[in-house]
């Protein structure tokens, strides 16, 4: 089986008619890919500011040494 990729503007009369035609014929499988808006990633600066704010609010965890840190990680 071969694959054909068609790009078209959603909602166009010709595109809808073609998709319907292909879907109603044996040997064709119509797969739709919907595009979604990209989500904005936070910059390292923004992540650092959030971490500083959380530390100021006392939301962080203090460890006495590396062994204490490892015990905490293994307990999760």
């Amino acid at each position: 089986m071969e694959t054909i990729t068609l790009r078209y503007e959603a909602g166009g009369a010709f595109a809808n008619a073609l998709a319907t035609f292909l879907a109603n014929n044996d040997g064709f499988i119509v797969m739709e890919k919907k595009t979604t808006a990209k989500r904005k990633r936070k910059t390292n600066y923004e992540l650092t500011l959030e971490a500083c704010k959380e530390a100021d609010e006392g939301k962080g965890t203090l460890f006495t040494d590396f062994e204490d840190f490892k015990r905490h990680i293994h307990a999760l």
Side-chain angles (χ1 to χ4, degrees):
M1 180 173 271
E2 298 295 324
T3 301
I4 299 173
T5 302
L6 298 173
R7 291 181 185 237
Y8 60 92
E9 192 66 35
F14 177 75
N16 289 339
L18 181 61
T20 302
F21 172 76
L22 293 174
N24 290 330
N25 286 290
D26 291 336
F28 286 97
I29 300 170
V30 177
M31 297 179 355
E32 294 183 24
K33 178 181 177 184
K34 305 217 184 251
T35 56
T36 58
K38 284 190 172 184
R39 107 189 132 150
K40 182 183 177 284
R41 290 187 174 182
K42 294 181 182 179
T43 64
N44 287 339
Y45 177 72
E46 292 169 326
L47 292 171
T48 302
L49 286 179
E50 286 180 8
C52 289
K53 181 181 175 186
E54 288 178 2
D56 289 343
E57 294 171 353
K59 293 184 179 177
T61 303
L62 295 176
F63 302 103
T64 56
D65 57 15
F66 185 66
E67 294 301 319
D68 185 29
F69 170 73
K70 288 196 309 187
R71 282 191 296 276
H72 177 77
I73 295 299
H74 288 295
L76 295 177

